[in-house]
Amino acid sequence: MQPLSRSHAWPIMGPAQVQQLEPALQALSPTPLMQSAGLACARLALAVAPHAQRVWVAAGPGNNGGDGLEAALHLHQWGKEVVVSLMALPGQGPADAQAALQRAQQAGVRIQPDVPKEWLQQMAAEDLCIDALLGIGATRPLGADLQACVLAMQKGAAPVLAIDVPTGLNPQSGQWLSGDSADNLAVQATHTLSLIAVQPGLLMAHGRDASGQIWLENLGYQASQHRVPPLAWLNAPYPGTPKRHASHKGSHGDVAVIGGEGMAPHGMDMRGAAILAATAALHAGAGRVILSLLSGHACDSAPPDVMQREFKRLELEKLHVVCGCGGGTAVEAVLPEVLQRSACLVLDADGLNAVARDSVLQNALHQRGSRQSTVITPHPLEAARLLGCSTQQVQSDRLKAAQEMAERFQCSVVLKGSGTVIAAPGQTPRINITGNGRLAIGGTGDVLAGLVGARLAQGPNPFEAACAAVAQHGQVADDWPTGGTLTASRLARRLA
């Protein structure tokens, strides 16, 4: 068992893949998987709450509840005062869970069909609740009995250890099972124990806040030894390799940022977005950075290190192009040429919106896949426009949406958001967990686009360049000084 670490490649699987693996893993173990899972949970409970005297286990009718019953048995035998609230009818549930119930009853564990409200009032902050209500099979809003358990955990003083997934969280998407209603009830876990592999929902959307510290007990699963491959891998940290001494500005690539529509078309000056992308590329170590503003005028506020050039004078075939940041409607006029001629392309923001509106541009983007490197960096709304669906559909399965865009447009995709997904044709996607809510401000996406352009200019293939840029972008936010205000311009200048 190990805590989630950004320095290790962790397998990420959905409920269907985990359930497909269980028979093969059971065949390799002389001990029933449920017993192994319960023992792992009990050991983790002792580790995270070593001074606990009381342990409340809220157990559901399925395998997750069986894991909780097995954990309760061990904690009871180790001298803890344990109460199990079993939210299941007599004889209900799979055979392994029924066997776990019999073992716990025979060991003398106190089991009751409701929430022990008076007993819970005596629990202290050093005690522990174990959430074993639903697990990876959760697909619909909670019933009244489960809501009562969740509410008791929310009101209690003791921390919560969730098995598999905090109850109320969709294991695939990280969205709430009850939708985004204001009266949502879900467990806010202090720790979550993942069994076999990590569920993608723990790393996305509300899962980032609801899961607490994530732990993995693989129960014998090794990706290299089993036929069921992961849905995704945890994104690796940015390695931060320094430039070689024997290098020059031409060794680190030329990045051209095309965007920044002026004031005239709709009464808003969007040149700042392009300047942010150029600043990011500059501070991320691109050899030379060229800014081509669609306003048609040079900008005095651009960094003096950045060259400014008219679009018609750009040698696109020799450049790593970042296009679309603040492009407005003006980007539509240059996009056909950008798609056709750019040696390497990062397409963002209004460039993506223009593609979504025009089937000819969509085909041109797809055609680049056979001869030129491309990375697109949509947020969920832009992704929905590209896929012709709703934002809710994108967010309900971010891995699927990212992979579908990668295949449709034959390029690398950075689907931004909580748990950014990086996908590419022929690659297992990665989920990134660096970054925090400080990035939820205007301009940070432009900074990411410029950073991807710089990493692409420095040599890696588009997928690896995108993975490195996303990891670094989030890590800078994670390392931000406590109490300091993060702005997009400051973020761009902290890249190195």
Side-chain angles (χ1 to χ4, degrees), residues 366 376 401-413 423-425:
H366 173 86
I376 63 175
Q403 199 65 45
E404 185 175 343
M405 284 186 287
E407 297 296 338
R408 180 176 298 188
F409 299 113
Q410 287 298 294
C411 64
S412 296
V413 175

Side-chain angles (χ1 to χ4, degrees), residues 261-262 264-266 270 294 324 326-335 350-351 354 357:
E261 184 178 62
H266 46 67
M270 298 195 292
L294 297 176
T329 57
V331 74
E332 297 175 6
V334 301
L335 202 48
D350 290 321
R357 292 190 296 265

Side-chain angles (χ1 to χ4, degrees), residues 112-186:
Q112 60 185 70
D114 54 9
V115 176
K117 295 180 180 179
E118 294 183 3
W119 186 82
L120 288 178
Q121 291 175 358
Q122 302 175 46
M123 292 184 72
E126 63 264 22
D127 293 325
L128 185 67
C129 301
I130 296 179
D131 170 18
L133 289 169
L134 289 182
I136 64 174
T139 58
R140 57 182 182 271
L142 309 181
D145 54 347
L146 299 189
Q147 287 186 21
C149 290
V150 172
L151 189 60
M153 290 184 210
Q154 288 183 339
K155 292 182 175 180
V160 179
L161 167 59
I163 302 177
D164 280 327
V165 179
T167 296
L169 186 75
N170 186 305
Q172 181 70 36
S173 68
Q175 303 295 326
W176 300 129
L177 291 176
S178 60
D180 289 325
S181 59
D183 59 348
N184 173 71
L185 273 179

Side-chain angles (χ1 to χ4, degrees), residues 255-259 277 281 319-325 331 335 338-339 342-352 365 368 372-378 411-414 416 445-457 462 465-466 469:
V255 174
V257 176
I258 302 169
L319 295 170
H320 300 81
V321 175
V322 178
C323 181
C325 301
V331 74
L335 202 48
V338 167
L339 289 169
S342 300
C344 294
L345 175 63
V346 180
L347 195 60
D348 185 46
D350 290 321
L352 296 172
L365 177 58
R368 286 182 56 85
Q372 295 149 305
S373 298
T374 310
V375 180
I376 63 175
T377 56
C411 64
S412 296
V413 175
V414 174
K416 296 181 288 193
D446 303 309
V447 172
L448 177 60
L451 177 55
V452 174
R455 294 288 161 257
L456 192 57

Side-chain angles (χ1 to χ4, degrees), residues 7-41:
S7 62
H8 292 83
W10 279 47
I12 300 165
M13 289 189 172
Q17 286 72 35
V18 169
Q19 292 164 357
Q20 187 179 351
L21 266 173
E22 287 174 348
L25 293 174
Q26 184 59 79
L28 297 174
S29 173
T31 303
L33 283 184
M34 187 171 289
Q35 292 183 26
S36 298
L39 179 59
C41 180

Side-chain angles (χ1 to χ4, degrees), residues 184-351:
N184 173 71
L185 273 179
V187 169
Q188 299 290 322
T190 315
H191 299 270
T192 297
L193 174 60
S194 293
L195 299 169
I196 300 178
V198 180
Q199 294 292 307
L202 301 183
L203 309 175
M204 298 179 181
H206 301 297
R208 300 284 299 279
D209 295 315
S211 302
Q213 172 64 60
I214 301 172
W215 301 76
L216 175 64
E217 170 54 59
N218 64 17
L219 298 179
Y221 170 70
Q222 299 293 332
S224 60
Q225 299 175 12
H226 293 87
R227 294 183 178 180
V228 181
L231 281 180
W233 291 98
L234 193 66
N235 193 30
Y238 172 61
T241 47
K243 292 183 177 181
R244 296 180 180 272
H245 288 285
S247 64
H248 52 83
K249 62 184 179 183
S251 306
H252 304 287
D254 294 346
V255 174
V257 176
I258 302 169
E261 184 178 62
M263 184 77 75
H266 46 67
M268 184 180 294
D269 189 337
M270 298 195 292
R271 292 179 296 175
I275 293 171
L276 284 171
T279 304
L282 179 70
H283 285 269
R288 288 175 292 198
V289 179
I290 303 166
L291 177 61
S292 182
L293 291 170
L294 297 176
S295 64
H297 304 287
C299 183
D300 293 339
S301 61
D305 319 70
V306 172
M307 296 178 281
Q308 298 191 54
R309 189 172 297 173
E310 294 179 348
F311 175 76
K312 63 183 180 181
R313 297 185 59 193
L314 295 177
E315 297 181 272
L316 296 175
E317 292 84 357
K318 299 179 181 180
L319 295 170
H320 300 81
V321 175
V322 178
C323 181
C325 301
T329 57
V331 74
E332 297 175 6
V334 301
L335 202 48
E337 196 169 351
V338 167
L339 289 169
Q340 182 180 7
R341 293 176 49 207
S342 300
C344 294
L345 175 63
V346 180
L347 195 60
D348 185 46
D350 290 321

